Amino acid sequence: MSTASEPTIILSDLHLGHRASQIRDPEEIAPILKEARAVVFNGDTVEMRTGVDRTVGRRMAAAVARLCHSIGCRATFHKWQP
């Protein structure tokens, strides 16, 4: 449960791993994550459409999870299923 002293942020559509993504290194979002005790990655966090993107996307997702853990921010990843 989140309280005013434990803010939660929601991030969506980062498309990490995609060639057009503005975020090249998960550390770039660390300042945002440090502001919260919990973060919800609300879909399209990493790019998974092509084989090349999928490989990079999986590495980026793992790096984001490690980053959240290292700064003490609880991460929840949601994935949309058709």
Side-chain angles (χ1 to χ4, degrees):
M1 177 150 95
S2 182
T3 66
S5 64
E6 295 182 347
T8 298
I9 59 172
I10 300 170
L11 297 175
S12 182
D13 296 292
L14 300 177
H15 292 276
L16 300 174
H18 190 277
R19 294 170 294 281
S21 177
Q22 296 294 309
I23 302 168
R24 299 288 178 217
D25 182 342
E27 286 289 333
E28 294 176 41
I29 62 172
I32 296 167
L33 300 175
K34 289 178 181 176
E35 297 294 320
R37 298 296 300 151
V39 61
V40 176
F41 292 96
N42 197 29
D44 288 331
T45 300
V46 298
E47 191 60 37
M48 300 298 279
R49 287 188 182 178
T50 69
V52 172
D53 290 339
R54 201 173 302 120
T55 299
V56 175
R58 285 187 178 122
R59 279 196 305 255
M60 296 280 275
V64 167
R66 284 190 304 273
L67 173 64
C68 289
H69 179 75
S70 72
I71 62 176
C73 181
R74 185 179 67 248
T76 303
F77 294 87
H78 288 276
K79 184 173 122 180
W80 178 78
Q81 293 286 334

